[in-house]
Amino acid sequence: MSGPQLSALDVAFLCLESETTPMHMGAVATFRPHGQVHARKLTTLLAERAARLPKLRQRPRAALFPPGAATWAEDPDFVASEHISHHHLSSLYEPDPLSAYASRWMGRPLDTGKPLWDLHLVTGLPDGEFALLLKLHHALTDGAGAYAVAAGLLDEVPRATRRPHSGSGPPTPRSPVDAVKEAVGSTLAQAGIASSVVRATRSPLSPISAPPSTERRLGLVRLDTTEIRRIRRAHGGTANDVVLAILSGALREWMINRGQRADDRTLRALIPVSVRGRSAEQLGGNKLSGYLCDLPVGLDDPLERLLAVQREMSRNKAAGPARGPGAFPLLADRMPPMLHRLGSKAAGLAAPLLFDLVITTVPVPPNRLTLDGTKLDGVYPFVPLAPRQAIGIAVATYRDSVHIGLQANGAAVSDVGSLRDGVLKSAARLLDTA
C-alpha cells in the first residue's frame, strides 16, 4: 500500500547515495544503568516500539507520475528485529572501543530496498555503560524529525498540556489574486537563490577536500553548557555562535597539525536550518534551508574568532533562511524529481565549490530521557559527509552538556583525535577570555 510521496529534496538525498557517500544520519546515545544490562530484554523492547512507528515500516518505491518521483510504501516483509543488532565489545586494546565500533558501523550504507534505518545495542563499555547506535537515511527525515523517531524508541515522556492557539481554525481560502502573487513570489525567490549560489561558487577547490572512501572515523566530544553560557554572558551573541567559534579554533589547529596553512583563510560551513512549522511534528520529510558561514580559522585570537562568527551569523539571520546561497535546499525541493535522478550525482560532486563542511545542530528537548528506566547520559549526532568532503560536524545540547559528533572521511583523516582534542583546547582558550 502506497503512502505519501517523497519531496523533491527527499529524492535528492536518495539519488546522492553511493557506497562512498552513504546519505544516512546517525546518533550514538550512551546510558548508565545502575545494575546489569539485559540485552535481550532491551532489543525486544526496542523492536516492539519500532514496529509501532509507521515511518520505520516503510521503504521508498518508484512512482509512475511525476517522472522520477517516489512514494513511501509499507514493506510487506517488515520485521523490526531484523533492523536491530546486539554487539558486546570485548577488545581491551582499543583506546576508544565505542568510537572504533561506531566508525565501522557508520561507514556501511543502508539497503535502499528496505526500510531505511538500522539500530545497534552495544554493551561491554567501561563502567557497565551501554549505547544505542541509530542510523536513519536523510531521505527519511531531517534532524528535527530524527529526534521524533528516536523519542519513539525511548520511554514515553509526559507531554505538557498545550493551550490551543487563539487563531486556530480552518484556514481562510486564498483568492485567485493571492495565489498568483504567491506563485510569482516563489519563482522570483528561486531565481534569487540560484543567482546567489552561482555567485558564491569558489575556485580553487576546498582546502580540506577528500578522495572518495568507504571508511569513516568518528569522534565524540562533550562540553559543559555552564561554560558556554559563561562565554556568552561575557561576550554576547548566541550559544550557537560560541560553539561555532570553538569549532573554528579546533579546525584551525587541526589544519596546522596536518601541515596546511590556516592563516588568512576561512572555511565555509553549511549551517542547515529547519523550516518546519510549529505544528509539523511529523516523523518524516526534509524541511530544510541553510546559511553559509565563513569560519575564521585564519584568526589565532579566540575572542576575535567569536566576534567574527557573531558578525557573520548576524548577517545570515538578517537576510533570513529563504535567501542567499545557503538556501539551496529550498531550491532543490522545488525542482522536478527527474532532475535529481539525472543530475544529483554531478551536483553532489560540486559541493566543495560551495562549502567545505556541514555543521548542524540537532534539537533535543531538556526532558530527562530514559530507556527501560535507565537514564540517557549523552547523545552524539552525526551528519552525512557530502562527496569529497573530509569532515562533518553535528551538535546536540542535552541537559548540562553540549555533545559534538565528529565524522571524518577515513582516507583523508586517519585519526580524529587531533580534531577532538582541538575542540577541548579551543573551548578552554575561549573560556579564559570570559
Side-chain angles (χ1 to χ4, degrees), residues 219-224 227-228 231 242-255 257 302 305 357 359 380 391-395 402-407 416-431:
L220 315 178
V221 189
R222 184 187 297 230
L223 303 177
D224 193 328
E227 295 180 354
I228 302 296
I231 295 167
V242 173
V243 172
L244 288 175
I246 289 171
L247 294 175
S248 299
L251 289 164
R252 171 185 170 82
E253 180 170 322
W254 175 70
M255 289 177 67
N257 289 342
R305 283 197 298 265
L357 74 162
I359 301 178
Y380 301 87
I391 293 288
I393 302 175
V395 181
V402 175
H403 301 85
I404 300 174
L406 309 171
Q407 180 172 187
V416 295
S418 173
L419 183 56
R420 184 180 58 227
D421 293 344
V423 174
L424 298 174
K425 291 177 183 177
S426 179
R429 287 192 65 193
L430 189 53
L431 184 63

Side-chain angles (χ1 to χ4, degrees), residues 8 23 197 261 265 307:
M23 293 305 297
V197 167
R261 180 176 62 84
R265 257 185 170 161
L307 297 177

Side-chain angles (χ1 to χ4, degrees), residues 17 25 27 98 101 126 144 157 177 189 196 259 281 287 339:
E17 177 78 20
M25 302 174 290
L98 178 58
Y101 179 83
V157 176
V177 173
S196 61
E281 293 187 352
K287 305 291 183 184
L339 286 183

Side-chain angles (χ1 to χ4, degrees), residues 65-91:
F65 187 82
T71 61
W72 293 109
E74 190 90 10
D75 183 358
D77 302 318
F78 175 72
V79 178
S81 59
E82 293 180 356
H83 293 258
I84 301 174
S85 304
H86 169 231
H87 183 83
H88 185 83
L89 295 176
S90 56
S91 173

Side-chain angles (χ1 to χ4, degrees), residues 171-184:
T172 304
R174 291 184 306 160
S175 70
V177 173
D178 290 337
V180 171
K181 286 181 178 179
E182 184 176 317
V184 171

